[in-house]
Amino acid sequence: MGGERFRDRREAGRVLASLLAGAAGDDLVVLGLPRGGVPVAWEVARALGAPLDVVVVRKLGVPGREELAMGAVASGGVLVVNDDVTAGLRLGDAELRRAARAAIAAVEEREARYRAGRPALDLRDRRALLVDDGLATGATMRAAVGAVARAGAAAVIVAVPVGAAEVCARLRAEVDDLVCARTPSPFRAVGAWYRDFEPTSDEEVRALLARPPAEAP
């Protein structure tokens, strides 16, 4: 399924929220993946009357080819390895461990900066709705899924405005539910399906987290 491009992440969040109305409930927590997933998640949380938090994920780039993900780490030290990439490039465990250690430290620092002293929301026995601005390879989202499962979430739901159909299909088998508003073919890239895909800044993430969506007009 294709469709028109989204104007920006905020519009994408409103479109996604319209597909998630049935997920509303007192036990729901919406979690955005910084940075680009947070404006989308804020709109979803506002529409569903749910609290908003973040799950920080950092891609592990292949040394010398940083755009190629050999895996990802997420809040709580969760590591997801892209076996196809590591096997194809014959990357050793030592290289992966070095990259993971540095990435975990960066995740912890960024998490503290975004929350500005606010504690993380307690996910135990609650439904965690993970939101990003798109799903391309699935590596970062899989790391986020592992993080919220480790935190004790009763159920994990993934929602994105746009994604590669085959990636959405694989990830659907790993979570309790998955909602993808559009699965265009050919997919190309997440940014191809937004008219405005300017990078989200750390300042915008902090501002959105400081403004409870459930209380916004």
Side-chain angles (χ1 to χ4, degrees):
M1 177 167 51
E4 293 292 323
R5 292 189 297 166
F6 299 106
R7 183 175 65 245
D8 55 21
R9 292 179 178 89
R10 303 295 284 268
E11 181 190 63
R14 292 190 288 272
V15 171
L16 190 58
S18 70
L19 302 176
L20 290 163
D26 292 341
D27 63 336
L28 183 71
V29 175
V30 177
L31 301 161
L33 273 63
R35 294 189 287 264
V38 175
V40 183
W42 193 93
E43 294 291 344
V44 170
R46 183 179 67 85
L48 301 184
L52 174 69
D53 202 354
V54 290
V55 174
V56 180
V57 182
R58 189 176 181 90
K59 182 179 74 173
L60 299 179
V62 172
R65 298 175 60 185
E66 303 302 330
E67 77 288 349
L68 182 60
M70 60 181 176
V73 297
S75 305
V78 173
L79 169 66
V80 170
V81 178
N82 188 338
D83 293 323
D84 292 341
V85 172
T86 55
L89 296 176
R90 298 182 181 177
L91 295 169
D93 288 344
E95 288 175 290
L96 189 61
R97 284 197 299 271
R98 278 196 299 272
R101 280 196 299 270
I104 288 168
V107 162
E108 291 173 347
E109 186 277 332
R110 178 170 286 183
E111 205 169 22
R113 189 167 73 243
Y114 286 155
R115 291 202 178 99
R118 293 182 300 274
L121 293 178
D122 188 352
L123 302 182
R124 287 173 296 180
D125 302 321
R126 304 186 76 174
R127 289 177 300 138
L129 174 55
L130 287 162
V131 178
D132 205 354
D133 54 12
L135 202 57
T137 67
T140 54
M141 185 59 82
R142 285 177 60 218
V145 167
V148 299
R150 180 180 288 185
V156 182
I157 306 164
V158 170
V160 291
V162 62
E166 65 277 10
V167 175
C168 290
R170 286 199 301 269
L171 188 58
R172 191 184 303 275
E174 301 177 24
V175 296
D176 295 283
D177 195 11
L178 185 144
V179 175
C180 183
R182 296 174 188 169
T183 53
S185 181
F187 176 71
R188 298 194 297 276
V190 171
W193 302 101
Y194 289 83
R195 296 200 295 274
D196 177 359
F197 199 64
E198 286 297 311
T200 303
S201 67
D202 283 342
E203 291 72 21
E204 184 178 354
V205 171
R206 286 197 295 268
L208 289 170
L209 290 176
R211 182 187 179 201
E215 298 174 9

